[in-house]
Amino acid sequence: MEYLCYNLNEISCTEDDTLLLSAEEREVYRTRGTDYLKTRALLKKEIARRTATEPRMIRFSYSEHGKPLFPGIHFNISHSAHLLCMAFHDAPIGVDIQQSRRLPRMESLASRIMCDEQAKRFLELGCPPDVFFDCWAIAEALVKWAGSTIWQARDFPFILHENHVEVLMQNGPHITRFRPSDGFFGAVAYKISACTSNDYAVQ
């Protein structure tokens, strides 16, 4: 398993990067702007490096919930504010990053994404935003690993302990938590294999 984080504000894009986009991606780029271009170019270059494919030849298919797919590699991406994270593995993987901030209705949202025990712990702590977004990143990583959506998060229960995450699923994935930057929380969900490494870099 490997994951990479980038500060999109520090990444430049060039005319060559636009040549990596498909016709459909160019249409999306026109509406979503340069961060989309930076994300697609970086993702295609990283996949190309791992699959011996020319970046311009990479064309994605999509899952039922819009997750991009490419033969021969498992990957996932996440955005929050100016940060981008990409994760790669030899088996299904999910990654998520979240910027901590105050949100209305955090108590009710917690009950939608946390199992009863974790939601109870969250309420007993006084609903701190850092704990909420730490849990949100874990929940998102789990559902993305499974190919589901955040509104099915309670089907993938977990308990956040001080130093580890207890996944309450038989044969569930491993969770690696990380802090991509001050005020941000990240999590990766994946099955551990014999060739798993745990590399992390901030660009």
Side-chain angles (χ1 to χ4, degrees), residues 145 167 169-174 190-191:
W145 166 80
V167 178
M169 300 161 50
Q170 188 174 9
N171 298 318
H174 178 73
Y190 61 99
K191 287 289 187 76

Side-chain angles (χ1 to χ4, degrees), residues 102-150:
R102 291 212 164 268
L103 282 181
R105 301 183 297 108
M106 277 200 297
E107 292 181 28
S108 60
L109 282 171
S111 68
R112 298 284 302 275
I113 66 169
M114 302 176 196
C115 68
D116 291 343
E117 176 60 27
Q118 180 58 56
K120 177 183 175 184
R121 294 182 180 211
F122 175 66
L123 293 175
E124 288 173 348
L125 289 171
C127 305
D130 281 3
V131 174
F132 177 83
F133 285 102
D134 201 354
C135 286
W136 188 290
I138 295 165
E140 283 273 17
L142 283 166
V143 299
K144 291 167 79 175
W145 166 80
S148 189
T149 72
I150 190 61

Side-chain angles (χ1 to χ4, degrees), residues 43-139:
L43 179 60
K44 290 188 176 188
K45 289 172 185 176
E46 290 296 335
I47 291 174
R49 186 164 64 86
R50 291 166 171 80
T51 61
T53 306
E54 286 290 330
R56 61 186 177 83
M57 301 302 294
I58 293 174
R59 295 293 181 264
F60 297 117
S61 59
Y62 295 88
S63 72
E64 175 187 358
H65 298 295
K67 182 177 180 179
L69 308 169
F70 187 75
I73 189 169
H74 294 272
F75 64 94
N76 199 223
I77 64 174
S78 180
H79 300 87
S80 185
H82 57 284
L83 296 186
L84 163 70
C85 185
M86 301 183 293
F88 304 90
H89 195 34
D90 57 4
I93 189 167
V95 67
D96 194 65
I97 54 176
Q98 293 288 334
Q99 183 179 30
S100 181
R101 59 201 184 277
R102 291 212 164 268
L103 282 181
R105 301 183 297 108
M106 277 200 297
E107 292 181 28
S108 60
L109 282 171
S111 68
R112 298 284 302 275
I113 66 169
M114 302 176 196
C115 68
D116 291 343
E117 176 60 27
Q118 180 58 56
K120 177 183 175 184
R121 294 182 180 211
F122 175 66
L123 293 175
E124 288 173 348
L125 289 171
C127 305
D130 281 3
V131 174
F132 177 83
F133 285 102
D134 201 354
C135 286
W136 188 290
I138 295 165

